[in-house]
Amino acid sequence: MSEEARSGMAATGYFAEENSVETVNARMGKDVDPRLAKVMASLVKHLHSFAGEVELTQEEWEFGIAFLTRTGQMCTQERQELILLSDTLGLSMLTDAINNRRPDGATENTVFGPFHVEGGPVRQMGDEICLDGKGESCLFIGRVLDLEGKPIEGAKIDVWSDNAEGYYDVQQPDIQPKWNNRGVFITGSDGEYSFIGIKPVSYPIPDDGPVGEMLAHLGRHPYRPAHMHYMVRAEGFQKLVTHTFVGGDPYLESDTVFGVKKSLVAPFQRVEQGDTLWRSDFDFVLARPDQTR
Ligand code: BEZ
Ligand code: FE
């Protein structure tokens, strides 16, 4: 069909399979915010294209609506099933990549996840964050640097991880001590940080809801490879939200939320003589707001 015929059909305002996108998008008002107009027109175009490509059946459409309804209904203050859906479809990591294009040498971002808690306890360098006495102790140590290799003073490093059984404290408020495996550290003029936690273990994302059902139907496991979460903030630099991953983890190449980047796989070395069983060295390199790719 010619463009002319297509737009003519849209102009009537009547809907037909052949002109569905144009008809819907032609309803948009004239004074709509330009960014909203661009995002919504593209969303309609791709949604219609998807339905046409798979020849969506009525039953599938109904199943999809029921699935999204259940996913929304599962959301509470503690459980965000819709973000989990975005994570497992790779949308969270794609959005993160689009919004954090950094030059070579800067530490890469990865998925934030649902288990961060703002306002964690500020601790002294070298302090222990594991409060339940479980797991294999590990020294986490390194520096926060700028792209020229200079130490950053006053960087706030917020860290969090699961416990030795694979659960965050907020998932087990009646079992784990509050703030277990969490802490905030502030760098001095040397940019150095260090703390004692546990060597993280791999764990399944919450899979007792619609997202877990979806993964099972798709033949996918719900596991994330072992990692330590970091959020590093410093005045005059881009916020860094990242993890370090334990090298050798069996799920590194099949992380259910696609969060692994090669540059974030950190060494975890067994300590022969020392206060901890393991040691992991990792420097964080922050980019300034104008340092993009
Ligand atoms: C996490 O690493 O804490 C996480 C990330 C995405 C979904 C679920 C958990
Ligand atoms: Fe995690």
Side-chain angles (χ1 to χ4, degrees), residues 83-84 87-88 111-116 160 168 203-206 224-225 227 229 243 255-257:
I83 295 185
L84 225 46
D87 294 343
T88 51
V111 64
F112 188 46
F115 298 126
H116 176 258
W160 65 105
Y168 289 84
Y203 63 86
I205 63 166
R224 297 217 63 208
H227 56 273
H229 287 262
H243 313 343
D255 181 2
T256 197
V257 301

Side-chain angles (χ1 to χ4, degrees), residues 30-41:
K30 293 229 176 319
D31 298 326
V32 176
D33 173 82
R35 178 66 186 167
L36 178 65
K38 181 173 178 169
V39 170
M40 289 308 295

Side-chain angles (χ1 to χ4, degrees), residues 65-208:
I65 295 290
F67 174 82
L68 290 174
T69 304
R70 283 195 294 130
T71 304
Q73 284 169 341
M74 185 120 199
C75 295
T76 63
Q77 274 300 96
E78 290 78 35
R79 175 82 178 252
Q80 233 302 352
E81 192 76 0
L82 279 163
I83 295 185
L84 225 46
L85 179 61
S86 160
D87 294 343
T88 51
L89 292 178
L91 181 61
S92 305
M93 279 304 290
L94 179 59
T95 308
D96 189 72
I98 291 166
N99 287 280
N100 293 286
R101 296 182 182 127
R102 302 206 174 110
D104 285 349
T107 305
E108 295 188 275
N109 242 56
T110 188
V111 64
F112 188 46
F115 298 126
H116 176 258
V117 182
E118 197 56 57
V122 177
R123 302 189 195 279
Q124 297 303 307
M125 288 303 171
D127 273 0
E128 171 108 39
I129 61 167
C130 173
L131 309 178
D132 66 0
K134 294 178 181 164
E136 298 186 354
S137 61
C138 180
L139 171 68
F140 294 82
I141 187 163
R143 289 172 304 162
V144 183
L145 305 169
D146 67 13
L147 269 163
E148 286 74 50
K150 290 205 283 296
I152 299 177
E153 182 175 3
K156 200 170 158 191
I157 310 177
D158 200 333
V159 307
W160 65 105
S161 82
D162 56 339
N163 77 348
E165 279 144 18
Y167 294 100
Y168 289 84
D169 57 352
V170 288
Q171 292 176 287
Q172 297 185 315
D174 300 330
I175 298 174
Q176 293 190 39
K178 194 168 165 65
W179 304 115
N180 193 24
N181 293 302
R182 294 177 191 271
V184 177
F185 298 86
I186 298 173
T187 57
S189 56
D190 54 9
E192 287 176 11
Y193 75 89
S194 65
F195 63 94
I196 296 174
I198 58 164
K199 187 179 177 223
V201 300
S202 44
Y203 63 86
I205 63 166
D207 65 343
D208 55 345

